[in-house]
Amino acid sequence: MDSKALFKLNFHKNAEGKFHCPVMYRVFTDTSAIVAIKTTGNVYSLEAVNELNLKPKNMLDLINSEPFKKSDIITIQDPQKLEKYDMSTFYHIKQKIKLVDEEDEEARKSATYTLKSTSAEAAATLAELAESYTAPSNSNNTDTGKEGEED
């Protein structure tokens, strides 16, 4: 993307300092559908643009009456579009990119990683076990541990 593709957005604030639609005077929230007009940079609620521009086919900016095309309407926020929540479309999931935290990987190797809390006795036993335990060798021992059995 180059700097020519960028343009300034003109948000409007109310007396309380909150961003709002300059036509409908509704404060923008997390659930507001918000659009901008590319030619002017003015920001409106989607409801205002639908009701005052698209339905009556009046393609003039609502503040300064500058003409624009339908393709100049840019959606900034639309909570109704659920495809943005589809995690299978996320780049890092498509590319199978995982963030590896070295500290967390080291902690997972510890026998106490999944324990939330331990008693003093259990903690002492685990500490002694960590000091003295040696993993069994991986030899080809055919002894099954069952004596006196015949096939």
Side-chain angles (χ1 to χ4, degrees):
M1 177 183 287
D2 59 352
S3 61
K4 291 180 183 179
L6 301 176
F7 59 96
K8 181 181 177 188
L9 293 178
N10 303 313
F11 283 90
H12 295 83
K13 288 186 179 183
N14 62 12
E16 289 90 38
K18 295 181 180 179
F19 293 111
H20 72 98
C21 174
V23 176
M24 305 290 270
Y25 295 103
R26 291 197 181 139
V27 175
F28 294 142
T29 64
D30 291 340
T31 59
S32 300
I34 305 169
V35 297
I37 307 301
K38 186 177 182 179
T39 56
T40 62
N42 291 326
V43 177
Y44 304 103
S45 66
L46 178 61
E47 180 184 6
V49 172
N50 280 338
E51 295 297 321
L52 302 172
N53 290 117
L54 298 177
K55 283 185 182 177
K57 296 183 172 119
N58 173 29
M59 302 307 274
L60 300 174
D61 188 275
L62 298 171
I63 292 178
N64 60 12
S65 299
E66 188 175 319
F68 66 91
K69 300 178 213 161
K70 189 173 181 178
S71 61
D72 291 331
I73 300 173
I74 298 171
T75 302
I76 296 174
Q77 175 178 297
D78 190 358
Q80 299 300 317
K81 292 199 175 187
L82 298 178
E83 54 269 7
K84 73 177 183 179
Y85 298 108
D86 183 10
M87 290 180 48
S88 66
T89 62
F90 292 179
Y91 176 80
H92 69 284
I93 292 181
K94 284 182 179 179
Q95 301 298 320
K96 297 181 180 168
I97 299 171
K98 292 184 180 181
L99 177 64
V100 178
D101 184 9
E102 293 174 11
E103 290 179 13
D104 193 36
E105 289 299 315
E106 283 298 317
R108 287 176 191 252
K109 293 177 184 176
S110 169
T112 60
Y113 176 73
T114 57
L115 298 177
K116 289 184 180 179
S117 62
T118 58
S119 66
E121 281 183 38
T125 304
L126 288 171
E128 182 181 333
L129 185 62
E131 289 175 15
S132 63
Y133 179 75
T134 56
S137 63
N138 201 9
S139 63
N140 291 334
N141 192 354
T142 58
D143 182 22
T144 61
K146 298 178 183 177
E147 294 180 22
E149 286 187 19
E150 294 181 15
D151 290 313

